[in-house]
Amino acid sequence: MEKNIDDHSNTFPHKDEENNTNANNTPHSLSPKTEENAKEAKSDGENEKANDLDHVKGEPEEGDKEEKENEDVLTFEVTPETPPPNLEKVSEDIDQFLATPHENNNNNVSDNEEKIPEFVDKFLDLVEEKMARYKSCEKKWGETVEEDSSFLEDVNRVSKLMKLLSIMLTEFQSREEKEEEKEGEEEKKGEEENEKEKEKEKEKEKELQEKHAKKDNSILFNRVDAIQQRAMSYLEEEFHLLMEESRVENKPEPNGAHDSKGKNVATPESSENEPIETPMDFPGFKDEAITNLNKIAREMLFAGYDSECCHVYIVSRKHSFGDGLHKLGYERISIDEVQRMQWESLEREIPTWINTFKECATVWFPGERKLVASIFSEDPSMADTLYTNLTRVVVFQLLNFAESVAMAKRAAEKLFKSLDMYETLRDTIPNLEKLFPKDIVDEIKAEMTSAKNRLGEVAVLIFCELENSIKNDNGKTPVAGGAIHPLTRYIINYLRLSCEYKDTLEEVFREHSKIERSDSTSRPRYENENQHSNEKENESPFTGQLTRVMELLDTNLEGKAKLYKEVPLSCIFMMNNGRYIVQKIKSSTEFYQVMGETWYRKRSTELRTYHKNYQIETWGKILNCLSPKGLNDNNGKVPKPALKERFKTFNTLFDEIHKTQSTWVMHDEQLKSELRVSISSLVIPAYRSFLGRFSQYLDPGRQTEKYIKFQAEDIETYIDELFDGNPNHGTMARRRA
């Protein structure tokens, strides 16, 4: 569109010049014969040739020839008696002319095809005037629908004229080339007969006429081209304005509040009734705007200005996508930047990426495809191309971020975010056929699948590294009070969260079950071992790996339990950790399903075993003190020294147990209560029986007070103070004093 479109005044005559031209019986642009040709024809004096020309023009015979030569051939000559030409009437003539077939039959061009009607120039004059009024008008496109439609119809006529003239000039050029070839052949033939000479003269005359017609048509072609360029320039500007208006309407308000990511946030000054714009408004084009854009695009494409129209569209929509991404809080981050980011920062970016990806797949891309198909409905192939060029940039930008996360240093805390991204890609891939044209679906699917598999591989490796984290936890300092070990909390909570991704992890483990790892200790135990081949044959890879982690945790806890010097405290430690594991698994449906009912029952049985072992190790000696065995001699008498020693030993043992085990910890309240009840049911009845049977053998008063320090109610009270982790409970002797 860089042609000189304002210099047609130098090419075409002004009104005065037009009148002078008409006076000489020659149209200013389309006369089949210029003055020079006329003089040449007179000087030649070839009447037969002139008659032929008159016949081509459709004029009367020789008697009327002179009179016809003085007539003005312009259809619309403005005279005082005739009204000025009307664009509507001229347009009808143009439509009729364009509807008339202009075909080249046997390379012979008809007279009508060589002669362009004079009203074409008038039509072009009126179109130029209309364009000038349009450009000076301040009304927006679409405010006057009828006028806009009329303008587009006139532009369409100009485009059709342009195409017709282009075809005619091409035909002229083709005939000239053929004539040149024919002349060359005739020169080689030598002498020609007289009849052929006459025929040759006629052909030369016709050729001369065609040259004049071509010259005039070339001038007209340049003028139509200039008008078309101005019209397309105007339509391109209007197309751009319509695109930008819709984009600006969706941009955040300049005075609105935004968070650190650029998202709109509510402010106290905001009106409650004011709608808050969200990315769901995408693409934000009203039906009226789409209709107007479609009309303009249709005319620009018809005129061959598709590249200009598409350029405006693609630039505007790229900006719109940029605005939308900014509103969602997503900023483009390079691979190098991702590699340098701390996990805390990267972790905050991943949810934004997921939200943006889902928004694109469910809202933006379908909306954009519908928009471009509506605007460029005349050319679905072009609509697909525009949509592809626009969306693939966004897709690959998002996929680059996913690849960058997969390339980052592995760490246990990255597992769940990686799985979130994996699921996002996995759930989108089946819908790619609906989102993208067929010619790029395979390409997008391949790239998306690659990114998904990379994330899945990372998830598998991170999960398998749990084994190493357990093995490397070989601290020699026992947890105070037999409490739950931090490793237990970390591993069980990690596995519990992992089981929320059970289906996904089973999927990625199956996909990556053949991944080779250099460290055999971190290899998942889902390979069939000889001793468990039948049992594990149908076990999922993820279940096998999780079971392996649990086995390693049990082994680790058993080793840590041996760090305690007191066997009862080791039992408390195992009960605390075992109870924590069982309760966490029971509270998670997914975790419970993975471990299974058999495993759960087995662990519950182990807890009861630790409970029983604790009772034996702690309260066995107490119960021995309360046994009547050894206190009766053959005569039925109770030896006081032995009885006193029994009471003394009981008091010492119970005081020590209370002092020590009140500092121990039992985190599960239910287990604590069950343990206290079981101790009370074991100790208190035996103590009551012993006290009732043997207290009478002690002398009342000082001796009784010295050896009988506890009543049954006191024993129950002190048992209820066990496992509180409270050192103050160890002052029992002082409280009694």
Side-chain angles (χ1 to χ4, degrees):
M1 299 178 61
E2 299 299 330
K3 298 179 181 179
N4 188 353
I5 61 176
D6 293 324
D7 291 340
H8 64 278
S9 58
N10 296 328
T11 305
F12 305 104
H14 295 290
K15 294 295 180 179
D16 295 338
E17 297 173 359
E18 180 181 345
N19 294 333
N20 293 333
T21 304
N22 293 338
N24 293 326
N25 301 327
T26 306
H28 71 276
S29 62
L30 298 176
S31 173
K33 185 166 73 172
T34 61
E35 292 183 8
E36 182 180 354
N37 294 335
K39 292 178 180 180
E40 183 179 350
K42 292 179 181 181
S43 63
D44 291 342
E46 298 175 353
N47 294 330
E48 182 178 355
K49 186 188 307 180
N51 291 336
D52 290 339
L53 285 176
D54 291 340
H55 182 68
V56 170
K57 295 179 184 179
E59 296 177 350
E61 297 299 328
E62 292 182 2
D64 299 324
K65 185 164 91 174
E66 253 181 57
E67 181 180 352
K68 279 297 180 181
E69 284 180 350
N70 293 326
E71 288 183 359
D72 188 356
V73 297
L74 283 177
T75 305
F76 294 103
E77 180 183 5
V78 179
T79 63
E81 291 78 13
T82 60
N86 179 270
L87 180 57
E88 181 178 355
K89 177 61 175 65
V90 177
S91 297
E92 293 177 359
D93 295 335
I94 290 291
D95 291 339
Q96 184 176 0
F97 169 70
L98 293 173
T100 302
H102 299 274
E103 298 179 352
N104 183 13
N105 299 320
N106 299 322
N107 294 328
N108 294 323
V109 182
S110 65
D111 295 342
N112 290 334
E113 192 172 18
E114 291 185 355
K115 289 182 59 178
I116 300 297
E118 291 80 357
F119 55 72
V120 171
D121 273 315
K122 290 302 179 181
F123 168 75
L124 296 177
D125 291 339
L126 294 172
V127 169
E128 286 186 301
E129 293 177 5
K130 188 172 186 178
M131 286 176 55
R133 292 196 305 270
Y134 247 78
K135 295 190 71 174
S136 62
C137 181
E138 296 181 355
K139 292 182 179 180
K140 293 183 179 181
W141 188 276
E143 291 185 0
T144 53
V145 179
E146 293 184 0
E147 292 184 10
D148 293 341
S149 298
S150 175
F151 179 79
L152 290 175
E153 290 175 359
D154 292 332
V155 172
N156 182 265
R157 294 183 180 99
V158 171
S159 298
K160 289 180 179 179
L161 276 174
M162 189 68 184
K163 291 185 177 183
L164 177 60
L165 290 172
S166 177
I167 293 173
M168 294 180 68
L169 289 176
T170 302
E171 292 294 333
F172 279 132
Q173 182 67 31
S174 176
R175 285 196 299 273
E176 283 184 354
E177 293 175 355
K178 290 180 180 180
E179 290 295 334
E180 290 177 357
E181 293 178 359
K182 186 175 180 180
E183 289 179 359
E185 293 176 357
E186 290 178 351
E187 289 178 358
K188 295 178 181 179
K189 290 181 179 180
E191 296 182 355
E192 297 291 339
E193 298 179 356
N194 293 334
E195 294 181 0
K196 291 184 177 180
E197 286 293 335
K198 294 181 179 180
E199 183 178 349
K200 183 177 179 182
E201 291 296 329
K202 292 181 180 180
E203 289 178 355
K204 285 185 178 181
E205 183 65 26
K206 188 175 182 180
E207 179 183 349
L208 180 63
Q209 180 183 359
E210 289 179 357
K211 288 182 179 180
H212 292 319
K214 178 183 176 183
K215 181 178 180 181
D216 293 336
N217 287 350
S218 298
I219 296 174
L220 181 62
F221 178 86
N222 291 335
R223 184 184 183 194
V224 174
D225 183 38
I227 294 174
Q228 185 186 51
Q229 288 188 47
R230 289 201 299 274
M232 291 300 113
S233 177
Y234 174 75
L235 291 180
E236 180 181 348
E237 182 179 353
E238 293 299 322
F239 190 85
H240 173 75
L241 291 175
L242 287 172
M243 293 291 299
E244 289 301 298
E245 285 175 2
S246 297
R247 184 175 72 84
V248 171
E249 289 175 0
N250 270 356
K251 290 185 68 175
E253 294 296 332
N255 58 351
H258 305 86
D259 61 12
S260 60
K261 290 294 184 181
K263 299 179 182 178
N264 291 342
V265 295
T267 60
E269 295 78 10
S270 301
S271 172
E272 295 182 358
N273 297 327
E274 183 179 353
I276 299 176
E277 186 180 17
T278 67
M280 293 298 292
D281 296 331
F282 189 91
F285 283 73
K286 298 179 181 178
D287 292 341
E288 180 183 356
I290 294 177
T291 300
N292 289 325
L293 288 167
N294 172 259
K295 291 178 179 179
I296 295 176
R298 183 171 59 226
E299 292 306 325
M300 293 188 70
L301 266 60
F302 179 77
Y305 285 73
D306 47 338
S307 60
E308 290 82 355
C309 185
C310 292
H311 177 73
V312 172
Y313 180 87
I314 205 74
V315 169
S316 178
R317 298 311 296 154
K318 280 184 178 179
H319 291 161
S320 183
F321 265 86
D323 293 341
L325 292 174
H326 182 71
K327 288 164 64 177
L328 288 174
Y330 179 79
E331 301 293 341
R332 183 176 181 180
I333 305 175
S334 67
I335 295 178
D336 292 337
E337 290 173 332
V338 172
Q339 301 303 310
R340 293 194 300 267
M341 289 178 70
Q342 295 295 325
W343 171 245
E344 292 75 13
S345 300
L346 184 58
E347 187 179 20
R348 291 192 294 269
E349 296 294 336
I350 291 177
T352 302
W353 178 90
I354 292 173
N355 183 41
T356 302
F357 199 97
K358 290 181 178 179
E359 195 74 23
C360 287
T362 58
V363 179
W364 291 15
F365 290 170
E368 186 66 29
R369 193 168 192 184
K370 182 179 179 181
L371 175 66
V372 71
S374 298
I375 294 177
F376 296 92
S377 59
E378 300 297 317
D379 193 339
S381 176
M382 179 176 292
D384 285 346
T385 300
L386 288 172
Y387 174 78
T388 298
N389 294 339
L390 179 64
T391 56
R392 74 186 300 169
V393 173
V394 180
V395 169
F396 285 109
Q397 180 180 333
L398 293 170
L399 291 180
N400 284 340
F401 179 82
E403 292 277 1
S404 302
V405 173
M407 293 168 58
K409 184 179 179 181
R410 294 194 302 271
E413 61 271 16
K414 298 181 181 180
L415 173 66
F416 307 111
K417 294 300 182 184
S418 297
L419 290 174
D420 288 337
M421 298 178 72
Y422 175 94
E423 290 177 346
T424 300
L425 294 173
R426 178 199 64 192
D427 297 341
T428 304
I429 289 174
N431 298 322
L432 291 179
E433 287 78 4
K434 299 178 181 178
L435 291 177
F436 297 100
K438 293 181 180 180
D439 55 342
I440 66 162
V441 167
D442 292 340
E443 178 189 4
I444 299 293
K445 182 180 290 186
E447 294 294 332
M448 202 172 291
T449 301
S450 174
K452 182 203 73 165
N453 291 341
R454 290 286 300 276
L455 291 168
E457 180 181 349
V458 168
V460 170
L461 295 175
I462 290 175
F463 192 87
C464 291
E465 287 175 358
L466 278 178
E467 295 184 29
N468 287 335
S469 66
I470 295 173
K471 291 181 177 181
N472 294 333
D473 192 308
N474 51 11
K476 301 300 182 182
T477 303
V479 179
I484 301 171
H485 198 279
L487 179 65
T488 303
R489 291 183 183 275
Y490 173 75
I491 294 297
I492 294 302
N493 282 305
Y494 196 90
L495 295 179
R496 187 173 184 272
L497 287 173
S498 300
C499 287
E500 294 181 4
Y501 295 85
K502 179 174 68 70
D503 295 338
T504 301
L505 280 169
E506 287 180 348
E507 179 181 334
V508 298
F509 267 88
R510 287 193 181 95
E511 289 178 354
H512 301 275
S513 60
K514 297 182 180 181
I515 294 177
E516 296 183 358
R517 300 176 179 83
S518 57
D519 185 1
S520 61
T521 60
S522 66
R523 192 172 301 193
R525 288 275 300 275
Y526 47 78
E527 298 175 356
N528 292 333
E529 300 179 359
N530 294 332
Q531 64 271 27
H532 301 295
S533 59
N534 294 331
E535 179 182 352
K536 305 232 177 190
E537 185 175 357
N538 298 322
E539 185 178 64
S540 72
F542 170 65
T543 300
Q545 179 62 22
L546 189 144
T547 302
R548 171 66 175 168
V549 172
M550 291 296 296
E551 291 173 355
L552 287 175
L553 178 61
D554 288 341
T555 302
N556 187 284
L557 292 176
E558 289 171 0
K560 294 184 184 306
K562 295 177 181 178
L563 298 175
Y564 296 100
K565 296 179 180 180
E566 304 92 341
V567 174
L569 184 55
S570 296
C571 295
I572 293 295
F573 173 79
M574 294 302 293
M575 277 193 287
N576 267 322
N577 286 271
R579 181 76 170 192
Y580 182 83
I581 293 172
V582 167
Q583 290 298 99
K584 282 289 184 178
I585 292 176
K586 188 177 181 180
S587 64
S588 171
T589 303
E590 295 83 3
F591 205 170
Y592 186 85
Q593 288 176 349
V594 173
M595 299 312 300
E597 178 66 23
T598 302
W599 183 94
Y600 186 82
R601 287 199 303 267
K602 180 181 177 182
R603 292 307 297 263
S604 299
T605 301
E606 291 176 358
L607 283 178
R608 289 193 294 270
T609 301
Y610 288 124
H611 188 163
K612 185 177 181 180
N613 291 340
Y614 162 78
Q615 288 181 337
I616 293 173
E617 292 292 334
T618 300
W619 303 101
K621 296 178 181 179
I622 289 286
L623 294 177
N624 288 337
C625 292
L626 300 178
S627 174
K629 185 178 180 180
L631 292 180
N632 294 325
D633 58 11
N634 295 331
N635 298 324
K637 294 182 180 181
V638 176
K640 284 188 177 183
L643 181 60
K644 291 178 181 180
E645 186 62 28
R646 288 287 187 91
F647 275 108
K648 184 179 179 180
T649 302
F650 175 84
N651 293 336
T652 302
L653 289 174
F654 187 78
D655 194 27
E656 183 63 27
I657 290 172
H658 179 270
K659 178 182 179 180
T660 302
Q661 298 194 14
S662 61
T663 63
W664 293 359
V665 178
M666 187 62 69
H667 285 277
D668 186 79
E669 291 297 327
Q670 183 179 351
L671 180 59
K672 182 192 297 185
S673 176
E674 291 174 357
L675 195 55
R676 287 171 177 173
V677 169
S678 67
I679 294 172
S680 297
S681 63
L682 186 67
V683 175
I684 292 175
Y687 183 74
R688 280 197 178 117
S689 176
F690 186 84
L691 192 62
R693 182 175 179 179
F694 295 104
S695 62
Q696 58 183 332
Y697 294 102
L698 297 175
D699 296 337
R702 183 178 178 184
Q703 194 175 58
T704 302
E705 293 177 359
K706 181 179 180 180
Y707 294 102
I708 303 177
K709 295 183 178 182
F710 302 100
Q711 296 299 319
E713 293 76 11
D714 298 329
I715 296 295
E716 186 174 6
T717 299
Y718 292 132
I719 289 175
D720 286 341
E721 293 179 350
L722 299 178
F723 318 121
D724 275 345
N726 190 348
N728 294 328
H729 291 336
T731 61
M732 181 177 65
R734 186 166 59 252
R735 283 187 289 156
R736 289 201 311 271

